[in-house]
Amino acid sequence: MNTFLLDFSLIWTSALALQWSSSLDNDLQWRSVDWNKDGKPDSSKDAWIISARSRAAQVIGGFVSSELKNGLKSRPSTTNLLRQNKVDLSRIKWAHGVNSKIQLNNSIRGNAMIIEGDVSMGSIESRDGMDLPIMAHPPLKTSDLSLTEFVDTVLHSKTSKGMKFDFKQLEVVEPSFKIIKSRANEMTGSLWLNADIVQGPVNASTKPVEAAQFLKLVKHYFPYAILSVGWTTRFGPQLTLPLQIINDGSYTMDHMIQIRDVLKAAEIQQPITFPIRAGLSTSPEAHASILWLLKQFENSSLTIWSADYDMVDVPGLMKLVNHIGKENIYIDVPSGLNCEIQHFEE
């Protein structure tokens, strides 16, 4: 297996650089964890925890050995070592909901390491023509930024920033994948593909993206991209009638089993991150269920997200974060909550 050695750091005010190296063999080691605090490593529970430097290789540069045959460049951007090679993934900076030209330009100039946008079928403002993949969150169907322009702008910036695309509708997935695939040889940053493929808490009514077809397309076009799949949710202030605020709810084992089953049925082998909503992840039931899911997939991780007005039990959330370790969790939440997480002290 030919792999490359990556050194990582967090230099927030400087541009990301490109660097080749020789081997990740020493980094692809499984790390034992003492979950039950008995002073002995729990070998049955550590299969899903990859070393931090290997995980960071996926984030910033994507998988680096087999992409060449699939049209993905393997030159990853780098960051410096953190805490003696133990990378704190929770400090990776995101640009979220980047769906316009001005947002994209600001994100490229800023310190975000991964730029995320929502992809929908629609039209470009002030242009006539057929619908095409645009950057817009449903129900919006117009934008000043197409997916093609988004990708080209990031690639031409020479920043090696990662790109994450969020799909809410199946109809836009394959046309979008074809656009991204046509530019894969130019990519130096990581590629993330996100969709909610299972109905989740609290009695979520939003229709998930059809799981089997989405996963089939991901495997066909981008078998080495980072797969981000989760649940539709219903939490926080609800803007539909009757107006209400939902502050109680939790992920359950049933939610975990459902997503496990669809991923196993699709025979997914690529790296997976599970996006979980912070406010629904704080109960003991949620903790046990999420930990169980992570053990089902080698090389899996969590991405914690939250909406602006969600009520979050931060101490409850931090029990989960500390149990799993920040080297296995990406955190993409509003700045206020992120500050609480980063400065939390028990």
Side-chain angles (χ1 to χ4, degrees):
M1 177 179 177
N2 294 322
T3 53
F4 299 90
L5 176 63
L6 305 176
D7 288 331
F8 293 92
S9 69
L10 297 172
I11 305 181
W12 305 115
T13 57
S14 63
L16 296 175
L18 293 176
Q19 179 179 353
W20 284 94
S21 195
S22 58
S23 173
L24 266 176
D25 290 343
N26 293 331
D27 288 338
L28 295 174
Q29 307 290 330
W30 300 112
R31 179 170 62 82
S32 296
V33 176
D34 182 12
W35 292 91
N36 58 11
K37 306 302 181 184
D38 64 355
K40 300 177 181 179
D42 302 327
S43 59
S44 64
K45 298 181 180 181
D46 64 6
W48 61 271
I49 302 181
I50 201 167
S51 74
R53 292 176 68 194
S54 297
R55 178 68 49 69
Q58 300 159 25
V59 178
I60 307 302
F63 263 39
V64 290
S65 62
S66 301
E67 292 88 334
L68 292 176
K69 66 181 180 181
N70 292 281
L72 293 178
K73 266 193 174 180
S74 60
R75 292 193 308 171
S77 59
T78 61
T79 57
N80 284 333
L81 299 173
L82 179 67
R83 295 182 181 176
Q84 298 181 345
N85 296 341
K86 189 175 182 180
V87 177
D88 181 353
L89 298 183
S90 73
R91 293 187 177 275
I92 288 173
K93 291 188 176 293
W94 302 75
H96 188 78
V98 179
N99 296 328
S100 69
K101 288 182 177 179
I102 188 169
Q103 288 175 313
L104 181 58
N105 290 330
N106 288 340
S107 299
I108 289 172
R109 290 193 299 265
N111 59 6
M113 303 171 80
I114 302 172
I115 304 175
E116 183 268 349
D118 305 289
V119 189
S120 302
M121 290 298 291
S123 59
I124 298 298
E125 298 166 357
S126 303
R127 294 187 203 172
D128 296 326
M130 299 175 58
D131 282 356
L132 72 162
I134 63 170
M135 307 309 298
H137 192 291
L140 297 178
K141 294 185 177 181
T142 61
S143 175
D144 69 347
L145 181 63
S146 69
L147 172 64
T148 299
E149 292 168 324
F150 183 109
V151 175
D152 287 346
T153 301
V154 174
L155 295 180
H156 295 160
S157 73
K158 307 298 183 183
T159 60
S160 299
K161 297 193 177 192
M163 290 181 280
K164 179 178 179 180
F165 298 109
D166 190 1
F167 300 95
K168 298 290 195 297
Q169 303 155 330
L170 185 61
E171 63 175 341
V172 75
V173 173
E174 188 162 25
S176 300
F177 283 7
K178 289 179 178 179
I179 292 170
I180 301 167
K181 185 73 170 182
S182 69
R183 290 153 173 80
N185 284 332
E186 303 174 53
M187 291 185 181
T188 55
S190 58
L191 175 64
W192 300 54
L193 303 171
N194 181 83
D196 296 331
I197 61 173
V198 173
Q199 189 173 11
V202 178
N203 299 318
S205 57
T206 302
K207 183 180 178 180
V209 175
E210 204 281 314
Q213 186 61 20
F214 177 76
L215 296 174
K216 179 181 178 180
L217 291 170
V218 170
K219 286 178 63 178
H220 175 71
Y221 284 96
F222 301 107
Y224 296 95
I226 298 172
L227 178 62
S228 173
V229 285
W231 304 259
T232 60
T233 57
R234 180 171 166 266
F235 190 72
Q238 304 300 297
L239 301 181
T240 57
L241 295 176
L243 297 176
Q244 58 181 319
I245 299 176
I246 300 174
N247 290 330
D248 295 319
S250 174
Y251 292 105
T252 66
M253 185 60 75
D254 285 343
H255 297 132
M256 305 300 135
I257 291 173
Q258 289 178 52
I259 205 163
R260 187 276 310 268
D261 288 349
V262 297
L263 290 170
K264 292 291 187 183
E267 298 181 338
I268 295 298
Q269 300 296 322
Q270 61 206 89
I272 304 170
T273 188
F274 296 105
I276 59 170
R277 195 164 186 168
L280 297 168
S281 308
T282 61
S283 70
E285 179 183 21
H287 294 179
S289 303
I290 291 167
L291 289 169
W292 176 86
L293 178 63
L294 290 173
K295 289 187 287 179
Q296 308 308 304
F297 298 94
E298 294 182 0
N299 194 21
S300 62
S301 61
L302 296 181
T303 300
I304 296 177
W305 69 277
S306 183
D308 284 330
Y309 299 105
D310 286 2
M311 295 291 292
V312 178
D313 171 16
V314 174
L317 179 65
M318 291 308 299
K319 289 181 181 178
L320 178 67
V321 171
N322 292 333
H323 201 165
I324 295 172
K326 289 184 179 180
E327 67 272 25
N328 301 295
I329 297 179
Y330 311 112
I331 296 181
D332 180 16
V333 299
S335 58
L337 177 57
N338 189 53
C339 184
E340 290 187 73
I341 291 172
Q342 300 299 343
H343 295 90
F344 180 81
E345 295 182 4
E346 294 187 76

